Amino acid sequence: MSGRFQGRVVLITGGARGQGAVEARLLVAEGAQVVLGDLLEEEGRALAGELGPAARFIRQDVTREADWQAAVALAESLGGLHGMVNNAGIYVPRTLMQTDAELFERHMRVNQLGCFLGMRAVVPAMERAGGGSIVNISSTAGLRGSPGALAYSATKWALRGMTKAAAVDLAPRGIRVNSVHPGPIDTEMVKVWTNEQRAVRLSQIPMGRIGQAEDVARVVLFLLSEESAYMTGAELTVDGGASL
Ligand SMILES: NC(=O)c1ccc[n+]([C@@H]2O[C@H](COP(=O)([O-])OP(=O)(O)OC[C@H]3O[C@@H](n4cnc5c(N)ncnc54)[C@H](O)[C@@H]3O)[C@@H](O)[C@H]2O)c1
């Protein structure tokens, strides 16, 4: 199979379903090999089986450094590590006064510490591969005040800053780091919304529709590809104009 990603290996966290799964599908269709890391073993193994020999699933908790080492080793065994998407995330929306320390810390561990451990873990392998591209999935909640999601917002703002700091640190090593900021995207994550909450979000989107995972995945592929070779530390919003 030929394509933009022929000979490339990409590790996607939270790759068993939702946006990560669509990124995996598109990457494989364009010639990449993918490693899907996730806690969801059944979904992850089923997806990898469907995608065939170009896809591998590994049970990975992004908050555990040892799991990162195993995922990176698996990717390298396939022929190097060229791209990584820090996509795993949790969203338990609560206002400031509804958020306790445990919930705040849970978001920090998965969304923020996980992203940090991931960036650290992939650097040596990407250097051995001659360079690479890291894409951190933030949110429009990392660009403005997101309603009723204090802890989630804190982590998504952090990802935006960590992306820019890492972009500066890693540029001399040939590794680019960019962030993507999706608005509401139709995945399992937003099933916590009531119909009313969903209708409010929809009414705030100038393009008049909730996003699909493909809308984000295509932008992620652009950032993983050589088409964005001179971009690092950038933040790309994918939200139908909702944050304008
Ligand atoms: N859906 C939206 O509206 C939206 C908007 C903006 C940003 N995002 C972000 O996009 C990313 C993907 O979310 P999605 O919409 O596909 O939702 P999703 O819930 O379908 O996917 C998230 C994935 O992360 C995995 N995950 C959670 N904790 C993990 C851990 N500790 N280790 C490994 N994997 C873990 C889950 O099992 C799941 O497969 C997330 O970072 C999310 O915050 C989503």
Side-chain angles (χ1 to χ4, degrees):
M1 188 186 288
S2 64
R4 265 192 302 180
F5 291 95
Q6 190 64 45
R8 304 261 142 183
V9 181
V10 180
L11 168 58
I12 307 170
T13 69
R17 72 177 194 198
Q19 296 174 49
V22 174
E23 285 149 21
R25 286 180 195 283
L26 296 186
L27 281 164
V28 168
E30 294 206 39
Q33 295 187 84
V34 294
V35 173
L36 311 170
D38 207 303
L39 294 172
L40 301 176
E41 295 193 43
E42 204 176 315
E43 287 95 325
R45 288 192 202 290
L47 178 61
E50 192 191 316
L51 292 176
R56 305 289 170 88
F57 173 77
I58 185 166
R59 191 197 184 276
Q60 179 196 19
D61 179 344
V62 293
T63 69
R64 289 172 45 93
E65 226 162 348
D67 287 11
W68 272 108
Q69 295 308 328
V72 169
L74 175 59
E76 270 207 300
S77 75
L78 302 176
L81 179 58
H82 308 94
M84 193 269 283
V85 188
N86 261 320
N87 166 77
I90 59 165
Y91 171 69
V92 186
R94 300 283 185 273
T95 64
L96 169 66
M97 296 309 289
Q98 292 166 341
T99 301
D100 60 17
E102 188 278 325
L103 185 69
F104 189 81
E105 206 168 339
R106 187 147 45 106
H107 281 83
M108 293 236 303
R109 287 190 64 75
V110 178
N111 298 0
Q112 185 176 347
L113 178 74
C115 172
F116 157 74
L117 292 177
M119 290 197 290
R120 261 173 52 110
V122 299
V123 166
M126 283 188 176
E127 279 191 300
R128 286 192 284 276
S133 171
I134 297 172
V135 181
N136 292 329
I137 307 299
S138 175
S139 167
T140 49
L143 298 171
R144 57 187 170 82
S146 179
L150 185 283
Y152 181 79
S153 296
T155 61
K156 294 300 185 178
W157 276 82
L159 254 62
R160 186 180 174 204
M162 285 160 60
T163 297
K164 293 185 196 308
V168 177
D169 285 350
L170 299 181
R173 297 174 185 248
I175 299 171
R176 301 184 295 108
V177 192
N178 295 287
S179 61
V180 173
H181 299 259
I185 306 296
D186 216 351
T187 65
E188 286 294 318
M189 186 168 273
V190 298
K191 294 216 167 123
V192 293
W193 291 341
T194 61
N195 287 341
E196 198 185 352
Q197 286 170 324
R198 189 182 162 93
V200 170
R201 300 304 197 289
L202 181 58
S203 73
Q204 294 164 342
I205 301 174
M207 289 181 72
R209 66 174 177 87
I210 301 273
Q212 295 301 311
E214 287 74 10
D215 293 316
V216 180
R218 280 192 285 269
V219 174
V220 170
L221 261 68
F222 165 69
L223 289 173
L224 290 171
S225 78
E226 285 305 302
E227 288 165 32
S228 57
Y230 196 52
M231 287 177 69
T232 197
E235 51 191 57
L236 295 185
T237 304
V238 186
D239 69 345
S243 52
L244 294 174

